[in-house]
Amino acid sequence: MTVHVPDRKTIEAQSLAQLFTEARTHNVFRDKPVSDELLQKAIELAKMGPTSANQSPLRVLFLRSTAAKERLRPALAPGNLDKTMSAPVVAVTAFDEQFYDHLPFLMPHRDMRSYFSGDPVKAARSAFQNGTLQVAYLILALRAVGLDTGPMTGFDNAKVDAEFFPEGHVKSNVLINIGYGDHEKLLPRSPRFSFDQIAKII
Amino acid sequence: MTVHVPDRKTIEAQSLAQLFTEARTHNVFRDKPVSDELLQKAIELAKMGPTSANQSPLRVLFLRSTAAKERLRPALAPGNLDKTMSAPVVAVTAFDEQFYDHLPFLMPHRDMRSYFSGDPVKAARSAFQNGTLQVAYLILALRAVGLDTGPMTGFDNAKVDAEFFPEGHVKSNVLINIGYGDHEKLLPRSPRFSFDQIAKII
């Protein structure tokens, strides 16, 4: 069904602040639990973001129990240990390099499975690329539902894969600590480039 | 300065719809120009999203002139040709594999430059990963300012790199057609996984 919508404007300032301009990466979280419902809501939002051929390679394990987090401990860089073990929830994001087996469901109107299934190198790169787009959608979706995040790439991917994804075709990507950040513990924001340093209109 | 903020709630429904649930990938755009101001605003939002060590590897060329778009033509897959040449603006997103040269500015309080500069393979992977996170921030930022997008990965990256990034250390990533989508021309939305198919809380 075709939907007619009026021209959209910039979303309201409070939303922009919560998603982009005021949001910060948190290393210290308050002692306040994160509900399953908000994690589910964030996934339901994030999964709507676009991926190549709708391949949707993102897979996520939300580690909440102490037992689950202890399985992650050996893979963490020393500098990330305390903040991660004390976060209410840690999301282990990953991507499925065999995403193409699901394309008959995800993109029923075109045969995209054969485009990827015979070329593991192309499929792996595409899974990493699109799974990473989806990590960013998830970070912004978690912020959108009112949570704070602390994304990290400093860990031993091979150890995480062996421990959590022994099937071999799912690869870990970014860890995201999740909770309600302690704003007292934030450092000043790091600098950003100006528009002209990174973009050009030609 | 430490800022005290009250507990955040989920952002308003209209913002969620514009960013995630109602937003669609567009292949046909209306004949309505896109202002430089909105492109700049989208970059200013997207650049605030988190990257590893604040490395910010995203680089963007917004192709608006016919001359600039003609330079892209030879690199496009046949199926992407018409929709791309007729889009008001095409963003060529890319990542700088030598992002580490900017880390003394971007992360002044820690020497992260040497962590990457001696290991080109690690740096290239990190630039691709973080540059791709930033592509997703940009897609959502473009939507946030009221624009529609049509992201694509089906093109010849080597040709784009040779034409637009001859310096050699900047690599093309995702193309994003930008404009005001023609909602009459949308196909039905493709299926998505359920929560349980892609995520687990343990």
Side-chain angles (χ1 to χ4, degrees):
Chain A
M1 199 189 67
T2 305
V3 180
H4 293 265
V5 290
D7 272 5
R8 284 176 303 284
K9 301 207 163 60
T10 297
I11 62 173
E12 56 153 13
Q14 171 55 34
S15 298
L16 290 181
Q18 185 166 325
L19 291 165
F20 293 106
T21 54
E22 296 297 320
R24 298 289 308 278
T25 289
H26 284 263
N27 294 322
V28 183
F29 296 93
R30 290 188 284 131
D31 184 21
K32 177 176 169 173
V34 171
S35 73
D36 284 2
E37 191 200 338
L38 286 185
L39 299 176
Q40 284 160 357
K41 203 166 158 184
I43 289 284
E44 296 296 335
L45 292 170
K47 76 182 191 185
M48 304 313 290
T51 57
S52 305
N54 196 33
Q55 65 183 253
S56 309
L58 178 71
R59 305 292 181 265
V60 183
L61 287 177
F62 291 106
L63 313 184
R64 175 197 285 297
S65 67
T66 304
K69 290 204 286 181
E70 284 298 330
R71 293 169 58 196
L72 181 62
R73 182 191 287 272
L76 294 171
N80 289 334
L81 203 56
D82 286 348
K83 66 182 180 184
T84 304
M85 297 308 288
S86 64
V89 173
V90 185
V92 181
T93 72
F95 50 91
D96 185 351
E97 292 184 339
Q98 291 175 14
F99 65 86
Y100 46 77
D101 285 335
H102 303 278
L103 287 177
F105 162 70
L106 291 165
M107 179 144 284
H109 56 285
R110 201 148 40 124
D111 173 28
M112 292 299 293
R113 187 182 184 288
S114 61
Y115 179 78
F116 290 106
S117 59
D119 190 337
V121 172
K122 180 167 69 174
R125 184 183 189 277
S126 195
F128 181 39
Q129 183 183 39
N130 284 281
T132 302
L133 291 175
Q134 290 187 288
V135 170
Y137 303 147
L138 181 59
I139 291 169
L140 294 191
L142 289 162
R143 289 175 172 183
V145 301
L147 292 165
D148 288 308
T149 65
M152 277 174 298
T153 53
F155 64 95
D156 185 329
N157 289 72
K159 277 190 188 165
V160 169
D161 295 351
E163 177 64 30
F164 292 100
F165 310 111
E167 62 272 40
H169 56 91
V170 175
K171 306 291 185 188
S172 57
N173 196 355
V174 176
L175 301 179
I176 310 173
N177 292 336
I178 301 171
Y180 296 90
D182 184 341
H183 290 257
E184 300 274 0
K185 302 280 167 57
L186 284 172
L187 299 170
R189 198 193 256 286
S190 294
R192 294 294 195 277
F193 287 122
S194 68
F195 178 88
D196 294 334
Q197 290 175 293
I198 49 175
K200 204 178 286 188
I201 303 173
I202 59 177
Chain B
M1 196 188 71
T2 304
V3 180
H4 293 266
V5 292
D7 271 6
R8 285 176 302 283
K9 302 208 161 57
T10 298
I11 61 173
E12 56 152 16
Q14 171 56 33
S15 297
L16 290 180
Q18 186 167 325
L19 291 165
F20 294 107
T21 55
E22 297 296 321
R24 298 290 306 279
T25 289
H26 285 262
N27 294 321
V28 184
F29 296 92
R30 291 188 284 130
D31 185 20
K32 177 177 170 174
V34 171
S35 71
D36 284 3
E37 190 200 336
L38 286 185
L39 300 176
Q40 285 159 355
K41 203 165 156 182
I43 290 284
E44 295 297 334
L45 291 171
K47 77 182 190 185
M48 303 314 290
T51 57
S52 305
N54 195 33
Q55 64 182 253
S56 309
L58 178 72
R59 305 292 181 266
V60 184
L61 287 177
F62 292 106
L63 313 184
R64 173 199 287 297
S65 68
T66 305
K69 289 204 284 181
E70 285 298 330
R71 293 170 58 194
L72 181 63
R73 183 191 286 273
L76 293 171
N80 289 334
L81 203 57
D82 287 349
K83 66 181 181 187
T84 304
M85 296 308 288
S86 65
V89 174
V90 185
V92 181
T93 71
F95 50 90
D96 185 350
E97 293 184 340
Q98 290 176 14
F99 65 86
Y100 45 77
D101 284 335
H102 303 279
L103 288 177
F105 163 70
L106 292 165
M107 179 145 282
H109 55 285
R110 204 149 38 125
D111 173 29
M112 292 299 292
R113 187 183 184 288
S114 61
Y115 179 77
F116 291 105
S117 60
D119 189 339
V121 173
K122 180 167 69 174
R125 184 182 189 277
S126 195
F128 182 40
Q129 183 183 40
N130 285 281
T132 303
L133 291 175
Q134 290 186 289
V135 170
Y137 302 147
L138 180 60
I139 291 169
L140 294 190
L142 289 161
R143 289 175 171 181
V145 300
L147 292 165
D148 288 308
T149 64
M152 279 173 298
T153 54
F155 64 95
D156 185 328
N157 289 71
K159 278 190 187 164
V160 169
D161 294 351
E163 178 63 31
F164 292 100
F165 309 111
E167 63 272 39
H169 56 91
V170 175
K171 306 291 185 188
S172 57
N173 195 354
V174 176
L175 300 179
I176 310 174
N177 292 336
I178 302 171
Y180 296 90
D182 184 342
H183 290 258
E184 301 272 1
K185 302 279 168 58
L186 283 173
L187 299 169
R189 197 194 257 286
S190 293
R192 294 295 194 277
F193 288 122
S194 67
F195 179 88
D196 294 336
Q197 289 176 292
I198 49 175
K200 204 178 286 189
I201 302 172
I202 61 178

